[in-house]
mmCIF file of all heavy atoms in Angstrom:
data_model
loop_
_atom_site.group_PDB
_atom_site.id
_atom_site.type_symbol
_atom_site.label_atom_id
_atom_site.label_comp_id
_atom_site.label_asym_id
_atom_site.label_seq_id
_atom_site.Cartn_x
_atom_site.Cartn_y
_atom_site.Cartn_z
ATOM 1 N N MET A 7 171.032 68.518 133.991
ATOM 2 C CA MET A 7 169.651 68.739 133.578
ATOM 3 C C MET A 7 168.789 67.505 133.846
ATOM 4 O O MET A 7 167.666 67.611 134.349
ATOM 5 C CB MET A 7 169.614 69.104 132.092
ATOM 6 C CG MET A 7 168.203 69.379 131.537
ATOM 7 S SD MET A 7 167.312 67.890 130.988
ATOM 8 C CE MET A 7 168.231 67.498 129.490
ATOM 9 N N LEU A 8 169.319 66.316 133.534
ATOM 10 C CA LEU A 8 168.556 65.084 133.728
ATOM 11 C C LEU A 8 168.393 64.760 135.215
ATOM 12 O O LEU A 8 167.342 64.243 135.632
ATOM 13 C CB LEU A 8 169.233 63.931 132.995
ATOM 14 C CG LEU A 8 169.115 64.010 131.463
ATOM 15 C CD1 LEU A 8 170.090 63.049 130.793
ATOM 16 C CD2 LEU A 8 167.690 63.707 131.010
ATOM 17 N N ARG A 9 169.383 65.077 136.015
ATOM 18 C CA ARG A 9 169.247 64.880 137.465
ATOM 19 C C ARG A 9 168.158 65.796 138.023
ATOM 20 O O ARG A 9 167.342 65.385 138.856
ATOM 21 C CB ARG A 9 170.584 65.144 138.159
ATOM 22 C CG ARG A 9 171.638 64.075 137.895
ATOM 23 C CD ARG A 9 172.950 64.402 138.605
ATOM 24 N NE ARG A 9 173.952 63.362 138.420
ATOM 25 C CZ ARG A 9 174.794 63.295 137.404
ATOM 26 N NH1 ARG A 9 174.762 64.241 136.454
ATOM 27 N NH2 ARG A 9 175.666 62.309 137.309
ATOM 28 N N GLN A 10 168.146 67.048 137.558
ATOM 29 C CA GLN A 10 167.110 67.985 137.986
ATOM 30 C C GLN A 10 165.728 67.532 137.514
ATOM 31 O O GLN A 10 164.743 67.635 138.246
ATOM 32 C CB GLN A 10 167.423 69.382 137.448
ATOM 33 C CG GLN A 10 168.644 70.023 138.082
ATOM 34 C CD GLN A 10 169.054 71.320 137.396
ATOM 35 O OE1 GLN A 10 168.365 71.808 136.508
ATOM 36 N NE2 GLN A 10 170.181 71.875 137.817
ATOM 37 N N TYR A 11 165.673 67.016 136.291
ATOM 38 C CA TYR A 11 164.406 66.531 135.747
ATOM 39 C C TYR A 11 163.889 65.352 136.574
ATOM 40 O O TYR A 11 162.679 65.237 136.834
ATOM 41 C CB TYR A 11 164.592 66.121 134.289
ATOM 42 C CG TYR A 11 163.320 65.742 133.569
ATOM 43 C CD1 TYR A 11 162.221 66.594 133.552
ATOM 44 C CD2 TYR A 11 163.215 64.524 132.912
ATOM 45 C CE1 TYR A 11 161.050 66.238 132.894
ATOM 46 C CE2 TYR A 11 162.057 64.162 132.251
ATOM 47 C CZ TYR A 11 160.980 65.024 132.251
ATOM 48 O OH TYR A 11 159.818 64.666 131.602
ATOM 49 N N SER A 12 164.800 64.489 136.997
ATOM 50 C CA SER A 12 164.429 63.368 137.851
ATOM 51 C C SER A 12 163.815 63.854 139.154
ATOM 52 O O SER A 12 162.824 63.296 139.647
ATOM 53 C CB SER A 12 165.659 62.503 138.139
ATOM 54 O OG SER A 12 165.377 61.508 139.092
ATOM 55 N N GLN A 13 164.375 64.926 139.708
ATOM 56 C CA GLN A 13 163.842 65.508 140.940
ATOM 57 C C GLN A 13 162.477 66.142 140.702
ATOM 58 O O GLN A 13 161.572 66.031 141.545
ATOM 59 C CB GLN A 13 164.824 66.535 141.497
ATOM 60 C CG GLN A 13 166.133 65.923 141.989
ATOM 61 C CD GLN A 13 167.167 66.966 142.378
ATOM 62 O OE1 GLN A 13 166.939 68.167 142.232
ATOM 63 N NE2 GLN A 13 168.306 66.518 142.879
ATOM 64 N N GLN A 14 162.324 66.809 139.554
ATOM 65 C CA GLN A 14 161.030 67.411 139.217
ATOM 66 C C GLN A 14 159.939 66.350 139.106
ATOM 67 O O GLN A 14 158.793 66.570 139.513
ATOM 68 C CB GLN A 14 161.130 68.176 137.897
ATOM 69 C CG GLN A 14 161.975 69.434 137.949
ATOM 70 C CD GLN A 14 162.174 70.055 136.572
ATOM 71 O OE1 GLN A 14 161.489 69.703 135.615
ATOM 72 N NE2 GLN A 14 163.121 70.981 136.472
ATOM 73 N N LEU A 15 160.304 65.195 138.562
ATOM 74 C CA LEU A 15 159.341 64.100 138.435
ATOM 75 C C LEU A 15 159.143 63.357 139.751
ATOM 76 O O LEU A 15 158.297 62.462 139.837
ATOM 77 C CB LEU A 15 159.818 63.113 137.362
ATOM 78 C CG LEU A 15 159.909 63.626 135.924
ATOM 79 C CD1 LEU A 15 160.459 62.535 135.002
ATOM 80 C CD2 LEU A 15 158.550 64.095 135.422
ATOM 81 N N ARG A 16 159.946 63.724 140.775
ATOM 82 C CA ARG A 16 159.892 63.096 142.096
ATOM 83 C C ARG A 16 160.107 61.584 142.013
ATOM 84 O O ARG A 16 159.404 60.796 142.629
ATOM 85 C CB ARG A 16 158.560 63.423 142.786
ATOM 86 C CG ARG A 16 158.380 64.919 143.031
ATOM 87 C CD ARG A 16 157.090 65.213 143.733
ATOM 88 N NE ARG A 16 156.930 66.655 143.981
ATOM 89 C CZ ARG A 16 155.878 67.200 144.566
ATOM 90 N NH1 ARG A 16 154.869 66.429 144.972
ATOM 91 N NH2 ARG A 16 155.815 68.505 144.752
ATOM 92 N N LEU A 17 161.102 61.223 141.236
ATOM 93 C CA LEU A 17 161.382 59.807 141.034
ATOM 94 C C LEU A 17 162.036 59.196 142.273
ATOM 95 O O LEU A 17 162.862 59.819 142.937
ATOM 96 C CB LEU A 17 162.298 59.615 139.826
ATOM 97 C CG LEU A 17 161.733 60.023 138.465
ATOM 98 C CD1 LEU A 17 162.724 59.710 137.368
ATOM 99 C CD2 LEU A 17 160.409 59.316 138.194
ATOM 100 N N LYS A 18 161.658 57.965 142.543
ATOM 101 C CA LYS A 18 162.265 57.178 143.601
ATOM 102 C C LYS A 18 162.819 55.902 142.971
ATOM 103 O O LYS A 18 162.590 55.617 141.809
ATOM 104 C CB LYS A 18 161.248 56.867 144.687
ATOM 105 C CG LYS A 18 160.734 58.119 145.409
ATOM 106 C CD LYS A 18 159.734 57.763 146.487
ATOM 107 C CE LYS A 18 159.233 59.019 147.200
ATOM 108 N NZ LYS A 18 158.243 58.690 148.264
ATOM 109 N N GLN A 19 163.562 55.142 143.770
ATOM 110 C CA GLN A 19 164.166 53.895 143.282
ATOM 111 C C GLN A 19 165.064 54.166 142.072
ATOM 112 O O GLN A 19 165.069 53.417 141.101
ATOM 113 C CB GLN A 19 163.092 52.872 142.903
ATOM 114 C CG GLN A 19 162.077 52.562 143.998
ATOM 115 C CD GLN A 19 160.689 52.353 143.406
ATOM 116 O OE1 GLN A 19 159.748 53.098 143.697
ATOM 117 N NE2 GLN A 19 160.554 51.346 142.563
ATOM 118 N N ILE A 20 165.815 55.254 142.126
ATOM 119 C CA ILE A 20 166.693 55.628 141.013
ATOM 120 C C ILE A 20 167.978 56.240 141.551
ATOM 121 O O ILE A 20 167.957 56.948 142.576
ATOM 122 C CB ILE A 20 165.993 56.620 140.053
ATOM 123 C CG1 ILE A 20 166.888 56.941 138.842
ATOM 124 C CG2 ILE A 20 165.592 57.900 140.774
ATOM 125 C CD1 ILE A 20 166.205 57.751 137.771
ATOM 126 N N ASP A 21 169.094 55.947 140.884
ATOM 127 C CA ASP A 21 170.381 56.559 141.225
ATOM 128 C C ASP A 21 171.127 56.904 139.948
ATOM 129 O O ASP A 21 171.042 56.184 138.943
ATOM 130 C CB ASP A 21 171.239 55.611 142.066
ATOM 131 C CG ASP A 21 170.777 55.551 143.512
ATOM 132 O OD1 ASP A 21 170.779 56.607 144.172
ATOM 133 O OD2 ASP A 21 170.399 54.455 143.971
ATOM 134 N N PHE A 22 171.851 58.029 139.993
ATOM 135 C CA PHE A 22 172.713 58.452 138.889
ATOM 136 C C PHE A 22 174.162 58.188 139.272
ATOM 137 O O PHE A 22 174.591 58.500 140.389
ATOM 138 C CB PHE A 22 172.533 59.946 138.605
ATOM 139 C CG PHE A 22 171.277 60.279 137.854
ATOM 140 C CD1 PHE A 22 170.055 60.356 138.510
ATOM 141 C CD2 PHE A 22 171.309 60.540 136.488
ATOM 142 C CE1 PHE A 22 168.895 60.663 137.831
ATOM 143 C CE2 PHE A 22 170.155 60.854 135.791
ATOM 144 C CZ PHE A 22 168.939 60.922 136.464
ATOM 145 N N TYR A 23 174.917 57.636 138.336
ATOM 146 C CA TYR A 23 176.336 57.380 138.541
ATOM 147 C C TYR A 23 177.130 58.066 137.430
ATOM 148 O O TYR A 23 176.672 58.145 136.294
ATOM 149 C CB TYR A 23 176.636 55.875 138.520
ATOM 150 C CG TYR A 23 175.931 55.100 139.603
ATOM 151 C CD1 TYR A 23 174.645 54.601 139.395
ATOM 152 C CD2 TYR A 23 176.539 54.868 140.831
ATOM 153 C CE1 TYR A 23 173.987 53.880 140.388
ATOM 154 C CE2 TYR A 23 175.887 54.141 141.827
ATOM 155 C CZ TYR A 23 174.607 53.658 141.596
ATOM 156 O OH TYR A 23 173.958 52.951 142.577
ATOM 157 N N ASN A 24 178.316 58.539 137.744
ATOM 158 C CA ASN A 24 179.177 59.148 136.734
ATOM 159 C C ASN A 24 179.842 58.060 135.894
ATOM 160 O O ASN A 24 179.598 56.872 136.078
ATOM 161 C CB ASN A 24 180.224 60.043 137.390
ATOM 162 C CG ASN A 24 179.592 61.254 138.065
ATOM 163 O OD1 ASN A 24 178.605 61.794 137.572
ATOM 164 N ND2 ASN A 24 180.159 61.670 139.187
ATOM 165 N N PHE A 25 180.720 58.483 134.972
ATOM 166 C CA PHE A 25 181.468 57.519 134.174
ATOM 167 C C PHE A 25 182.244 56.568 135.082
ATOM 168 O O PHE A 25 182.989 57.009 135.964
ATOM 169 C CB PHE A 25 182.464 58.228 133.251
ATOM 170 C CG PHE A 25 181.829 58.889 132.065
ATOM 171 C CD1 PHE A 25 181.954 60.255 131.873
ATOM 172 C CD2 PHE A 25 181.124 58.155 131.130
ATOM 173 C CE1 PHE A 25 181.385 60.873 130.766
ATOM 174 C CE2 PHE A 25 180.550 58.751 130.028
ATOM 175 C CZ PHE A 25 180.676 60.118 129.849
ATOM 176 N N GLN A 26 182.058 55.294 134.875
ATOM 177 C CA GLN A 26 182.809 54.283 135.616
ATOM 178 C C GLN A 26 182.664 52.946 134.907
ATOM 179 O O GLN A 26 181.785 52.776 134.050
ATOM 180 C CB GLN A 26 182.315 54.187 137.053
ATOM 181 C CG GLN A 26 180.836 53.940 137.209
ATOM 182 C CD GLN A 26 180.428 54.056 138.668
ATOM 183 O OE1 GLN A 26 180.731 53.179 139.466
ATOM 184 N NE2 GLN A 26 179.782 55.142 139.014
ATOM 185 N N PRO A 27 183.514 51.993 135.214
ATOM 186 C CA PRO A 27 183.410 50.689 134.552
ATOM 187 C C PRO A 27 182.004 50.102 134.737
ATOM 188 O O PRO A 27 181.542 49.958 135.873
ATOM 189 C CB PRO A 27 184.478 49.850 135.252
ATOM 190 C CG PRO A 27 185.474 50.854 135.746
ATOM 191 C CD PRO A 27 184.669 52.061 136.122
ATOM 192 N N PRO A 28 181.328 49.761 133.648
ATOM 193 C CA PRO A 28 179.933 49.316 133.774
ATOM 194 C C PRO A 28 179.757 47.851 134.138
ATOM 195 O O PRO A 28 178.639 47.419 134.425
ATOM 196 C CB PRO A 28 179.368 49.588 132.372
ATOM 197 C CG PRO A 28 180.531 49.460 131.455
ATOM 198 C CD PRO A 28 181.720 49.936 132.235
ATOM 199 N N ARG A 29 180.843 47.083 134.128
ATOM 200 C CA ARG A 29 180.704 45.641 134.349
ATOM 201 C C ARG A 29 179.902 45.273 135.601
ATOM 202 O O ARG A 29 179.019 44.401 135.532
ATOM 203 C CB ARG A 29 182.069 44.964 134.375
ATOM 204 C CG ARG A 29 181.975 43.466 134.622
ATOM 205 C CD ARG A 29 183.284 42.759 134.392
ATOM 206 N NE ARG A 29 183.143 41.306 134.590
ATOM 207 C CZ ARG A 29 183.946 40.408 134.060
ATOM 208 N NH1 ARG A 29 184.969 40.793 133.316
ATOM 209 N NH2 ARG A 29 183.745 39.116 134.280
ATOM 210 N N PRO A 30 180.158 45.881 136.771
ATOM 211 C CA PRO A 30 179.361 45.520 137.955
ATOM 212 C C PRO A 30 177.865 45.732 137.762
ATOM 213 O O PRO A 30 177.053 44.983 138.321
ATOM 214 C CB PRO A 30 179.918 46.446 139.048
ATOM 215 C CG PRO A 30 181.294 46.794 138.585
ATOM 216 C CD PRO A 30 181.204 46.863 137.098
ATOM 217 N N PHE A 31 177.498 46.728 136.962
ATOM 218 C CA PHE A 31 176.092 46.995 136.691
ATOM 219 C C PHE A 31 175.511 45.943 135.741
ATOM 220 O O PHE A 31 174.375 45.495 135.912
ATOM 221 C CB PHE A 31 175.920 48.390 136.115
ATOM 222 C CG PHE A 31 176.322 49.484 137.062
ATOM 223 C CD1 PHE A 31 177.607 49.998 137.049
ATOM 224 C CD2 PHE A 31 175.422 49.995 137.980
ATOM 225 C CE1 PHE A 31 177.995 50.998 137.921
ATOM 226 C CE2 PHE A 31 175.788 51.001 138.872
ATOM 227 C CZ PHE A 31 177.080 51.503 138.830
ATOM 228 N N TYR A 32 176.305 45.556 134.721
ATOM 229 C CA TYR A 32 175.865 44.501 133.810
ATOM 230 C C TYR A 32 175.633 43.195 134.571
ATOM 231 O O TYR A 32 174.689 42.450 134.290
ATOM 232 C CB TYR A 32 176.912 44.240 132.718
ATOM 233 C CG TYR A 32 177.150 45.366 131.742
ATOM 234 C CD1 TYR A 32 178.416 45.568 131.187
ATOM 235 C CD2 TYR A 32 176.119 46.209 131.347
ATOM 236 C CE1 TYR A 32 178.648 46.580 130.269
ATOM 237 C CE2 TYR A 32 176.345 47.229 130.431
ATOM 238 C CZ TYR A 32 177.614 47.411 129.899
ATOM 239 O OH TYR A 32 177.838 48.416 128.989
ATOM 240 N N GLU A 33 176.515 42.921 135.524
ATOM 241 C CA GLU A 33 176.444 41.646 136.236
ATOM 242 C C GLU A 33 175.174 41.511 137.066
ATOM 243 O O GLU A 33 174.584 40.422 137.140
ATOM 244 C CB GLU A 33 177.683 41.481 137.123
ATOM 245 C CG GLU A 33 178.964 41.242 136.329
ATOM 246 C CD GLU A 33 180.191 41.152 137.209
ATOM 247 O OE1 GLU A 33 180.163 41.686 138.342
ATOM 248 O OE2 GLU A 33 181.190 40.553 136.769
ATOM 249 N N LYS A 34 174.733 42.601 137.682
ATOM 250 C CA LYS A 34 173.570 42.477 138.573
ATOM 251 C C LYS A 34 172.242 42.845 137.917
ATOM 252 O O LYS A 34 171.179 42.432 138.393
ATOM 253 C CB LYS A 34 173.784 43.338 139.822
ATOM 254 C CG LYS A 34 173.755 44.829 139.587
ATOM 255 C CD LYS A 34 173.940 45.585 140.905
ATOM 256 C CE LYS A 34 173.874 47.096 140.705
ATOM 257 N NZ LYS A 34 174.006 47.834 141.983
ATOM 258 N N ALA A 35 172.275 43.596 136.806
ATOM 259 C CA ALA A 35 171.028 44.059 136.190
ATOM 260 C C ALA A 35 170.330 42.943 135.423
ATOM 261 O O ALA A 35 170.967 42.126 134.759
ATOM 262 C CB ALA A 35 171.301 45.232 135.265
ATOM 263 N N ALA A 36 169.006 42.952 135.485
ATOM 264 C CA ALA A 36 168.202 41.996 134.719
ATOM 265 C C ALA A 36 167.825 42.557 133.358
ATOM 266 O O ALA A 36 167.651 41.808 132.393
ATOM 267 C CB ALA A 36 166.935 41.635 135.498
ATOM 268 N N ILE A 37 167.709 43.900 133.272
ATOM 269 C CA ILE A 37 167.225 44.555 132.052
ATOM 270 C C ILE A 37 168.088 45.777 131.768
ATOM 271 O O ILE A 37 168.467 46.507 132.690
ATOM 272 C CB ILE A 37 165.753 45.001 132.218
ATOM 273 C CG1 ILE A 37 164.851 43.800 132.547
ATOM 274 C CG2 ILE A 37 165.247 45.720 130.969
ATOM 275 C CD1 ILE A 37 163.459 44.195 133.020
ATOM 276 N N ILE A 38 168.388 46.007 130.492
ATOM 277 C CA ILE A 38 169.053 47.244 130.077
ATOM 278 C C ILE A 38 168.140 47.983 129.106
ATOM 279 O O ILE A 38 167.594 47.393 128.174
ATOM 280 C CB ILE A 38 170.437 46.991 129.448
ATOM 281 C CG1 ILE A 38 171.093 48.333 129.074
ATOM 282 C CG2 ILE A 38 170.370 46.039 128.253
ATOM 283 C CD1 ILE A 38 172.572 48.229 128.744
ATOM 284 N N CYS A 39 167.968 49.279 129.339
ATOM 285 C CA CYS A 39 167.068 50.092 128.527
ATOM 286 C C CYS A 39 167.842 51.092 127.677
ATOM 287 O O CYS A 39 168.818 51.691 128.138
ATOM 288 C CB CYS A 39 166.085 50.860 129.417
ATOM 289 S SG CYS A 39 164.820 49.826 130.164
#
């Protein structure tokens, strides 16, 4: 539903990832929301 909603909003600069170890994302991200 959220992936479809993202498409409805025509969002760019966004990616969805499934369950996976989050450490690589923590390491490179500047902000967590």
Side-chain angles (χ1 to χ4, degrees):
M7 181 274 288
L8 289 166
R9 289 180 177 87
Q10 291 172 6
Y11 186 53
S12 173
Q13 293 173 357
Q14 291 173 14
L15 296 177
R16 298 181 179 179
L17 296 183
K18 296 180 180 180
Q19 306 143 242
I20 184 172
D21 283 300
F22 283 80
Y23 299 88
N24 294 325
F25 285 120
Q26 55 188 287
R29 179 169 182 157
F31 296 93
Y32 294 147
E33 290 177 337
K34 69 178 182 178
I37 302 167
I38 182 167
C39 288

